[in-house]
């Protein structure tokens, strides 16, 4: 399976509810590397690299009903992997 990089801007009530920790746990379970970062405007930015099918699973989970808080929309973009990532961190 081809590797890729997923960038996902998550909108909604996703700060102060454990969303970054949850995203990290989902990504690690799927064998992905990257980060989840809070932004001042209330969004969370998720960046992950790994197998495209695993990234698609993560994206599906981000849009699912079992996330902490309330996700209203996820805006994603896809790129070739850049590398240089290790583990999955919360920022």
């Amino acid at each position: 399976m081809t590797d890729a990089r997923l960038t996902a801007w998550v909108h909604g009530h996703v700060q102060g509810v454990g969303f970054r920790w949850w995203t990290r746990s989902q990504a690690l379970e799927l064998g992905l590397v990257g980060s989840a970062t809070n932004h001042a405007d209330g969004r969370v930015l998720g960046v992950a690299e790994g197998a495209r099918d695993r990234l698609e699973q993560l994206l599906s989970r981000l849009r699912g009903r079992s996330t902490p808080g309330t996700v209203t929309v996820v805006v994603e973009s896809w790129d070739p992997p850049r590398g240089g990532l290790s583990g999955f961190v919360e920022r």
Side-chain angles (χ1 to χ4, degrees):
M1 178 71 20
T2 304
D3 282 356
R5 179 185 187 99
L6 167 65
T7 302
W9 286 98
V10 184
H11 300 246
H13 178 65
V14 291
Q15 291 189 15
V17 294
F19 189 85
R20 289 177 302 146
W21 178 88
W22 179 86
T23 301
R24 178 181 181 272
S25 69
Q26 299 302 302
L28 291 174
E29 180 181 304
L30 293 167
L32 303 170
V33 295
S35 63
T37 307
N38 280 344
H39 280 259
D41 62 5
R43 296 178 297 168
V44 170
L45 171 62
V47 176
E49 289 189 0
R52 174 78 186 224
D53 64 331
R54 302 270 177 145
L55 292 167
E56 289 172 354
Q57 289 178 49
L58 177 62
L59 183 58
S60 178
R61 292 178 187 189
L62 292 173
R63 290 181 168 144
R65 297 181 187 260
S66 64
T67 64
T70 305
V71 174
T72 56
V73 69
V74 179
V75 179
E76 89 270 8
S77 63
W78 296 91
D79 295 292
R82 296 182 192 164
L85 301 172
S86 177
F88 201 95
V89 298
E90 300 171 51
R91 296 183 178 151

